[in-house]
């Protein structure tokens, strides 16, 4: 048996699965495609997460598109983070091309053009169904990690949430949160101190600055109502899973907003979805394009949170795929959790590039059929090194693969086509409605206003009483010097007593009203 026959036998054995699987392409050896020796990924292990990596222009976004199409065809919904605006073409069938036919003839599978059900989503200025979440839904722990707060500052955030919960003050958006922070160090300082302990003005100032920084990245459009229900990601249409595309073309320079949204979404999915156990297919697959944006400005605490969610969310039937240029863009603690790996070509222009290529090669199973370092720099567009987990969770042999072409359009939709897709949405009208009900901001403003009016009323009553007594004394006969001295002493004493009682009364009312 020659080397090609040995390799063919290994591919045939290593990529043979009992359950349903997705065809990624055909194996290659020595630059030649081994006809009909298909490289597949078991549908059952798509909740074990994955990585799609490669240099710009090598085809990794199209690989993402192929996977989303195949999952939709199997009835599995997906969520795609579209940073570059390349993925809207999923809503239209491919127009076909001779090069696509040639590729599929080599692979040994027919090409069938198809469109897929698409929902366009947004958290920024892009058009689409708007995603929102309230500050209350984030909770104090997650919000503190997003803001990068220390333990003392996180404790203050917990007090703020507890105070609002105890007094039924809804925290819906960042305006509410900032108002409660300001109230805790001004008008409500004594009230909160008595119930929950003293709050440092300096720490509150730091928290406020962090919130403003988040606002400057556009977070005010994300926090609020109506909150997005993650169950709406699980829809299908005529048996095809819904492909939800989150349009993020205007968010590349705002990584904090991107990481805020992603962590909130993953936490909500984990809290909402029931345990799925060992199912035949995943419930939802999330593809994060330009994944380095999720980690660029993440604190250690935030990275720990992401790692925990990724470890645990697979039990909910959810798979997460990271799409990026270099595997080193992904922290090691996350990279170690990824079962399916599709590595497109890398470019070696500098010494650092060569070191990264060496590190990348070490992440793949050892093989005698390829010089992995060389292959990484020599693969063509639409080719990749692939290894997946079989149904028993064991990595399959490394295979240089010619990938299948997307069945949907590889270009973007024009403005008219985008409007048609958005107009066909079943959920856009409900989520795009702007709701601004009474919340902590309005309640505290009204409370402060009432306290101010009461204070003015008490002050007016004091002035009226003083004026009346002065007028009454003026009508009496002029007293002797001894009487004058005596009465003046008594007046001063009475004045101090009256002022003390008025002050107690005023503060007492304010305390009760608070």
């Amino acid at each position: 048996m020659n080397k090609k026959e040995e390799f063919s036998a290994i591919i045939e054995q290593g990529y043979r699965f009992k359950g349903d699987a997705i065809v990624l392409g055909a194996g290659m050896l020595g630059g030649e495609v081994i006809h009909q020796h298909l490289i597949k990924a078991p549908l059952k292990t798509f909740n074990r997460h994955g990585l799609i990596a490669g240099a710009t222009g090598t085809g990794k976004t199209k690989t993402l598109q192929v996977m989303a199409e195949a999952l939709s065809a199997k009835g599995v919904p997906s969520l795609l983070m579209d940073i570059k605006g390349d993925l809207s073409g999923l809503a239209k069938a491919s127009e076909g091309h001779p090069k696509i036919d040639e590729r599929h003839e080599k692979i040994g599978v027919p090409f069938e053009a198809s469109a897929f059900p698409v929902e366009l989503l947004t958290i920024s200025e892009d058009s689409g169904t708007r995603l929102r979440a309230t500050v209350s839904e984030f909770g104090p722990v997650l919000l503190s990690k997003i803001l990068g707060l220390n333990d003392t500052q996180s404790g203050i955030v917990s007090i703020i949430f507890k105070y609002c919960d105890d007094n039924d003050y809804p925290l819906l958006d960042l305006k509410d949160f900032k108002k409660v922070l300001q109230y805790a160090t001004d008008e409500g300082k004594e009230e909160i101190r008595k119930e929950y302990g003293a709050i440092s003005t300096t720490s509150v100032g730091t928290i406020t600055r962090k919130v403003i920084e988040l606002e400057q990245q556009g977070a005010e459009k994300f926090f609020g109502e109506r909150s997005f229900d993650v169950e709406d990601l699980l829809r299908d249409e005529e048996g095809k899973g819904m492909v939800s595309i989150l349009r993020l073309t205007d968010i590349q320079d705002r990584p904090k907003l991107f990481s805020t949204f992603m962590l909130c979404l993953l936490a909500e999915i984990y809290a909402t979805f029931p345990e799925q156990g060992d199912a035949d297919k995943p419930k939802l697959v999330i593809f994060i394009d330009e994944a380095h944006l999720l980690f660029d400005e993440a604190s250690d605490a935030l990275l720990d949170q992401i790692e925990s969610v990724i470890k645990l969310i697979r039990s909910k039937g959810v798979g997460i795929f990271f799409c990026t240029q270099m595997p080193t863009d992904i922290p090691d603690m996350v990279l170690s959790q990824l079962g399916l790996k599709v590595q497109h070509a890398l470019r070696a222009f500098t010494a650092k590039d060569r070191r990264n290529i060496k590190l990348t090669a070490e992440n793949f199973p050892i093989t005698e059929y390829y010089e992995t370092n060389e292959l990484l720099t020599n693969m063509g567009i639409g080719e990749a090194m692939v290894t997946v987990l079989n149904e028993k969770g064991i990595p399959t042999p490394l295979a240089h693969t010619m990938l299948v072409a997307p069945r949907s359009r590889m270009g973007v939709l024009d403005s008219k086509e985008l409007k048609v897709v958005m107009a066909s949405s079943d959920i856009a009208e409900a989520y795009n409605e702007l709701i601004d009900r009474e919340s902590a901001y309005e309640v505290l403003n009204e409370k402060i206003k009432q306290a101010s009016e009461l204070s003015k009323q008490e002050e007016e009553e004091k002035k009226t009483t003083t004026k009346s007594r002065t007028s009454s004394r003026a009508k009496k006969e002029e007293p002797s010097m001894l009487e004058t001295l005596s009465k003046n002493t008594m007046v001063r004493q009475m004045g101090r007593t009256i002022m003390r009682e008025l002050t107690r009364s005023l503060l007492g009312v304010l305390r009760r009203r608070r």
Side-chain angles (χ1 to χ4, degrees):
M1 184 181 293
N2 60 35
K3 194 170 184 179
K4 183 176 179 180
E5 291 173 340
E6 288 178 0
F7 179 74
S8 297
I10 287 173
I11 293 298
E12 182 69 25
Q13 182 65 31
Y15 288 87
R16 182 186 299 161
F17 310 119
K18 294 180 180 179
D20 209 350
I22 288 174
V23 175
L24 299 176
M28 300 177 68
L29 185 66
E32 295 182 6
V33 181
I34 304 177
H35 187 71
Q36 290 188 335
H37 280 63
L38 301 181
I39 305 302
K40 298 176 286 186
L43 198 58
K44 185 175 183 177
T45 62
F46 261 77
N47 68 329
R48 300 295 297 270
H49 314 317
L51 172 72
I52 304 170
T56 300
T58 55
K60 58 184 182 295
T61 302
K62 299 312 168 193
T63 299
L64 185 160
Q65 187 172 341
V66 164
M67 288 187 179
E69 291 173 350
L71 288 166
S72 178
K74 300 288 185 182
V76 178
S78 58
L79 172 63
L80 282 54
M81 308 297 156
D82 190 8
I83 300 288
K84 300 187 294 288
D86 294 341
L87 296 170
S88 60
L90 277 154
K92 295 290 182 181
S94 170
E95 293 86 357
H97 195 278
K99 288 187 176 180
I100 293 178
D101 296 333
E102 181 183 347
R103 172 179 288 264
H104 276 256
E105 185 177 347
K106 288 180 180 179
I107 293 171
V109 295
F111 177 75
E112 299 176 357
S114 178
F116 297 87
V118 165
E119 181 73 49
L120 298 175
L121 309 172
T122 182
I123 60 171
S124 58
E125 298 294 341
D126 268 335
S127 300
T129 300
R130 186 159 292 282
L131 304 188
R132 296 187 183 91
T134 66
V135 173
S136 290
E137 288 168 339
F138 258 64
V141 176
L142 188 54
L143 185 61
S144 296
K145 289 181 177 179
I146 288 295
L147 295 175
L149 305 181
N150 61 31
D151 291 343
T152 301
Q153 295 156 357
S154 299
I156 291 174
V157 172
S158 296
I159 289 174
I160 295 298
F161 272 77
K162 174 67 173 159
Y163 171 72
C164 290
D165 289 343
D166 290 347
N167 291 277
D168 197 22
Y169 297 158
L171 283 173
L172 303 181
D173 52 29
L174 293 178
K175 178 181 63 176
D176 292 326
F177 186 63
K178 288 194 299 181
K179 186 63 183 180
V180 183
L181 284 173
Q182 177 249 319
Y183 181 77
T185 55
D186 291 339
E187 297 90 348
K189 185 175 182 178
E190 285 302 310
E191 175 191 1
I192 291 177
R193 183 187 65 78
K194 287 185 176 180
E195 291 292 330
Y196 308 96
I199 289 179
S200 166
T201 304
T202 303
S203 294
V204 168
T206 301
I207 298 169
T208 303
R209 286 192 294 274
K210 298 268 190 178
V211 173
I212 292 172
E213 178 188 343
L214 193 60
E215 282 182 320
Q216 289 173 338
Q217 294 206 18
E220 73 279 357
K221 290 182 173 61
F222 172 61
F223 286 99
E225 291 184 312
R226 169 176 294 129
S227 296
F228 186 77
D229 186 350
V230 292
E231 291 286 340
D232 283 328
L233 296 173
L234 304 181
R235 294 173 295 140
D236 60 34
E237 189 175 294
E238 298 179 354
K240 290 183 177 180
M242 181 64 67
V243 181
S244 300
I245 301 175
L246 181 58
R247 307 176 70 209
L248 298 166
T249 54
D250 58 349
I251 207 171
Q252 295 188 43
D253 59 342
R254 292 178 282 174
K256 188 173 285 290
L257 177 59
F258 181 62
S259 59
T260 297
F261 163 75
M262 278 308 307
L263 194 52
C264 175
L265 178 74
L266 295 177
E268 180 69 14
I269 287 173
Y270 180 73
T272 304
F273 287 6
E275 293 285 334
Q276 180 167 301
D278 193 20
D280 291 333
K281 64 181 182 180
K283 180 176 289 187
L284 175 70
V285 179
I286 300 172
F287 294 90
I288 305 175
D289 199 4
E290 301 297 329
H292 65 276
L293 293 176
L294 182 61
F295 304 104
D296 273 354
E297 293 190 8
S299 64
D300 290 342
L302 186 55
L303 287 175
D304 289 343
Q305 187 79 8
I306 293 172
E307 181 190 12
S308 297
V309 170
I310 289 172
K311 284 180 178 178
L312 298 171
I313 205 168
R314 66 178 56 163
S315 67
K316 307 288 185 170
V318 178
I320 302 173
F321 282 68
F322 298 96
C323 188
T324 189
Q325 292 195 18
M326 295 293 297
T328 51
D329 294 336
I330 310 297
D332 289 344
M333 60 185 181
V334 175
L335 196 61
S336 64
Q337 302 296 319
L338 310 183
L340 188 156
K341 294 177 182 176
V342 179
Q343 177 65 60
H344 289 263
L346 297 175
R347 304 292 180 242
F349 297 115
T350 67
K352 182 179 180 181
D353 290 339
R354 288 190 289 273
R355 288 194 296 272
N356 285 335
I357 287 172
K358 184 177 179 181
L359 288 173
T360 300
E362 292 173 354
N363 286 323
F364 288 92
I366 296 172
T367 176
E368 62 180 282
Y369 298 100
Y370 307 114
E371 291 292 335
T372 309
N373 286 7
E374 291 183 13
L375 184 59
L376 277 170
T377 58
N378 293 331
M379 289 185 293
I381 297 173
E383 298 176 14
M385 295 194 314
V386 176
T387 179
V388 306
L389 295 181
N390 66 20
E391 292 160 314
K392 295 181 179 179
I394 302 170
T396 58
L398 182 64
H400 178 197
T401 305
M402 176 170 280
L403 300 165
V404 298
R407 288 187 277 169
S408 57
R409 184 189 294 179
M410 285 193 267
V412 300
L413 302 185
D414 61 34
S415 57
K416 289 183 180 179
E417 290 171 326
L418 285 172
K419 288 179 181 177
V420 171
V421 172
M422 288 185 280
S424 66
S425 171
D426 295 329
I427 61 174
E429 184 177 356
Y431 286 119
N432 288 348
E433 180 186 3
L434 184 62
I435 299 175
D436 189 17
R437 64 185 173 96
E438 186 178 73
S439 54
Y441 181 84
E442 290 80 14
V443 171
L444 289 178
N445 273 339
E446 182 62 25
K447 186 173 182 178
I448 293 168
K449 180 182 176 182
Q450 290 178 359
S452 178
E453 289 175 352
L454 182 61
S455 178
K456 289 180 181 178
Q457 181 181 344
E458 293 284 357
E459 185 66 27
E460 288 297 325
E461 289 177 0
K462 183 183 72 172
K463 289 180 180 179
T464 301
T465 302
T466 303
K467 184 177 179 181
S468 175
R469 290 178 178 175
T470 301
S471 176
S472 177
R473 287 196 303 271
K475 293 178 182 180
K476 294 181 180 180
E477 294 182 2
E478 188 168 336
S480 66
M481 186 178 294
L482 183 61
E483 288 174 332
T484 300
L485 289 172
S486 177
K487 287 181 179 180
N488 282 348
T489 301
M490 291 178 64
V491 167
R492 284 195 297 271
Q493 181 67 35
M494 290 173 63
R496 285 195 294 270
T497 302
I498 290 169
M499 288 302 298
R500 194 161 53 241
E501 291 301 316
L502 283 172
T503 302
R504 286 199 187 98
S505 175
L506 176 63
L507 293 177
V509 170
L510 288 177
R511 280 197 293 269
R512 287 196 294 274
R513 291 186 65 82
R514 288 176 189 168

